[in-house]
Amino acid sequence: MIPAAFDYVRASSVDDALRLLAEHGDDAKLLAGGHSLIPMMKLRLAAPAVLIDIAGIPQLDGIAASGGRVTIGALTKHAALAASDDLRKHAPALWDAANDLGDPQVRNRGTIGGASAHGDPSADYPAVLQALDATFTLAGKGGTREIRAAEFFLGMFETALGANELLTRIAFDAAPNSAYVKFHHPASHYAVVGAAVVLTLSGGTIAAARVAITGIGDAAFRAGGVESALQGVNPNDAVAVKAATAGAARGVQARADTFASASYRAAMADVFAARAVAKAASAR
Amino acid sequence: MQIDLTVNGKQTFIDVEPRLLLVHALRDSLNLTGTHVGCDTSSCGACTVLLDGVSVKSCTVFAVQASGHEVTTIEGIGTADSLHPMQEAFWTAHGLQCGYCTTGMIVSAVDLLKRNPDPSDDEIRAGLEGNLCRCTGYENIVKAVRAAGAAMRAGDPRHSVNELMPIHPPTVEPPPSGEAIIPQQLQEAKV
């Protein structure tokens, strides 16, 4: 499959990328690892006139963990996240997702920023980054702005990233009691359903929880009802956790396809949320 | 546009359209046809090559993205005169049937052993998750990777194709060009 013709330019810095975006306007797309964009271009679902390759921009790649805060450059590859001991210790939910995403070749090429900006409704990071309550830094002509994950993922392939903006980094507070568990599609490796959980534990019970689900609706979402129901629950009490995670996808229009019906997806949201709670409680 | 690719250690300059995929540049511009196109949708891994030393699917990389970088294809992994231990192991452990997925499998397996020189069977299976085989199942492929790992850890010498399967010189002088070689028995049976 051959994509439609386009012009290719390389950006040498964030400012250079922003200048090129402003110059080419809506006709241009940013290219990082290309593992969401290139398949869409090959299917002619996307046909940008200009590709601005940002893969070579320095300082956008890397993981830094200090003072209880984790900062990840947007060009950091899945494989680097999957191999990071810092991430395994400080944010096992994201480490889980990076390890369970795609396959080795995809992880060697795809980036956290590219996958996030793509806004795929079955992607893993949108759930994990919402559960981590991550902050996204977006660079634009007038400077940078910060936006929380819950406000970033808007809908199917739709994010808050402006046409002339560049996602530069993602940051969140360390969450040692966190986990991501997914029912992965055997062929595509995308999440049929994925649940990310971040717990604050106090004296053997859950003091606070953040729960986010992907694969069900048009975009990953926070399961607010489950979060409040989990307060005060002993995470090792399977019956209580099951009761608290029931109805995780309530109020969300679930998608259906040949692999999973809408009601099955909604039922699996409960099951995988409960599994993620148990896994998060035993992390560390 | 002109790009600068270092393929199997050799720097080449080729003129490509930006939309040309790396796999097509390798196969059609550089005549390196050991890298195969299977699914063409980033799933099957038949097109796997090493880009700056790590495995990637060359059907999901534009050739222009690889400009200034190093590519290793199956032709750079080993040759008929000096087979890579992984190539030898796929042969001796019967890790292939039709051979279509084999070159991608070998490149992925070489990358896997670089990161993990002594993987368990489960780790081999997880490491080859991006490569699909439609012939045989994966049992002998896993055995081949295990055997190659053992050979590489032991520092076994490389072998040539001829050492593994000696090709005997013909016992009959070939006839002048244009004539068929007719076996003795067939000549006798001629009416």
Side-chain angles (χ1 to χ4, degrees), chain B residues 92-163:
Chain B
T92 53
H94 307 290
L96 65 137
Q97 187 171 316
C98 84
Y100 202 88
C101 73
T102 310
T103 55
M105 283 281 180
I106 288 175
V107 174
S108 287
V110 166
D111 184 37
L112 167 66
L113 289 191
K114 228 184 310 179
R115 284 177 282 115
N116 181 358
D118 188 11
S120 67
D121 283 8
D122 282 349
E123 287 169 334
I124 294 171
R125 286 176 189 276
L128 295 179
E129 221 170 9
N131 293 75
L132 303 180
C133 163
R134 297 289 74 163
C135 289
T136 65
Y138 299 90
E139 203 58 33
N140 285 352
I141 291 171
V142 174
K143 281 184 196 163
V145 178
R146 210 164 50 202
M152 288 166 75
R153 291 194 305 278
D156 288 354
R158 286 189 176 209
H159 299 105
S160 69
V161 168
N162 201 36
E163 280 175 281

Side-chain angles (χ1 to χ4, degrees), chain A residues 48-136:
Chain A
V50 181
L51 278 190
I52 302 167
D53 189 347
I54 57 171
I57 298 180
Q59 281 108 37
L60 288 188
D61 187 356
I63 304 159
S66 70
R69 190 90 177 148
V70 180
T71 304
I72 297 171
L75 290 177
T76 309
K77 294 192 169 76
H78 310 309
L81 299 170
S84 165
D85 286 336
D86 272 344
L87 207 61
R88 183 178 200 167
K89 190 168 146 207
H90 297 301
L94 188 53
W95 186 84
D96 287 343
N99 273 283
D100 207 11
L101 176 158
D103 57 47
Q105 294 97 313
V106 169
R107 294 196 287 271
N108 282 338
R109 201 70 196 140
T111 65
I112 187 171
S116 298
H118 188 57
D120 192 299
S122 294
D124 306 299
Y125 293 146
V128 176
L129 295 171
Q130 287 190 57
L132 289 168
D133 196 19
T135 300
F136 290 56

Side-chain angles (χ1 to χ4, degrees), chain B residues 2 8 15 26 36 44 47 55 60 74 76 93 120-121 134 154-155 170:
Chain B
Q2 197 184 57
N8 302 330
D15 207 28
L26 295 171
H36 297 161
C44 81
C47 65
S55 61
T60 311
I74 186 70
S120 67
D121 283 8
R134 297 289 74 163

Side-chain angles (χ1 to χ4, degrees), chain A residues 1-6 8 10 31-35 38-39 41-42 44 51 53 103-105 108-109 184 189, chain B residues 1 18-19 21 40-42 48 51 54-57 59-62 64-65 67 108 111 126-127 129-131:
Chain A
M1 293 175 290
I2 312 294
F6 57 86
Y8 172 87
R10 281 188 180 180
L31 176 68
H35 272 50
I38 296 174
M41 290 174 67
K42 289 172 73 177
R44 307 254 175 155
L51 278 190
D53 189 347
D103 57 47
Q105 294 97 313
N108 282 338
R109 201 70 196 140
H184 82 172
H189 296 218
Chain B
M1 59 191 292
R19 62 174 164 170
L21 297 166
D40 205 8
T41 58
S42 352
T48 302
L51 182 57
V54 299
S55 61
V56 304
K57 292 177 174 174
C59 79
T60 311
V61 178
F62 291 119
V64 286
Q65 291 177 279
S67 185
S108 287
D111 184 37
E129 221 170 9
N131 293 75

Side-chain angles (χ1 to χ4, degrees), chain A residues 234-253:
Chain A
N234 175 349
N236 299 316
D237 179 346
V239 175
V241 170
K242 192 178 173 188
T245 52
R250 193 170 291 140
V252 175
Q253 181 71 44

Side-chain angles (χ1 to χ4, degrees), chain B residues 27-101:
Chain B
R27 289 179 56 83
D28 303 338
S29 306
L30 300 174
N31 205 27
L32 294 168
T33 53
T35 304
H36 297 161
V37 181
C39 70
D40 205 8
T41 58
S42 352
S43 301
C44 81
C47 65
T48 302
V49 299
L50 302 181
L51 182 57
D52 292 335
V54 299
S55 61
V56 304
K57 292 177 174 174
S58 61
C59 79
T60 311
V61 178
F62 291 119
V64 286
Q65 291 177 279
S67 185
H69 296 271
E70 289 189 17
V71 179
T72 306
T73 68
I74 186 70
E75 289 89 347
I77 297 281
T79 62
D81 292 332
S82 172
L83 289 171
H84 189 282
M86 191 64 72
Q87 292 173 310
E88 182 175 333
F90 266 70
W91 181 350
T92 53
H94 307 290
L96 65 137
Q97 187 171 316
C98 84
Y100 202 88
C101 73

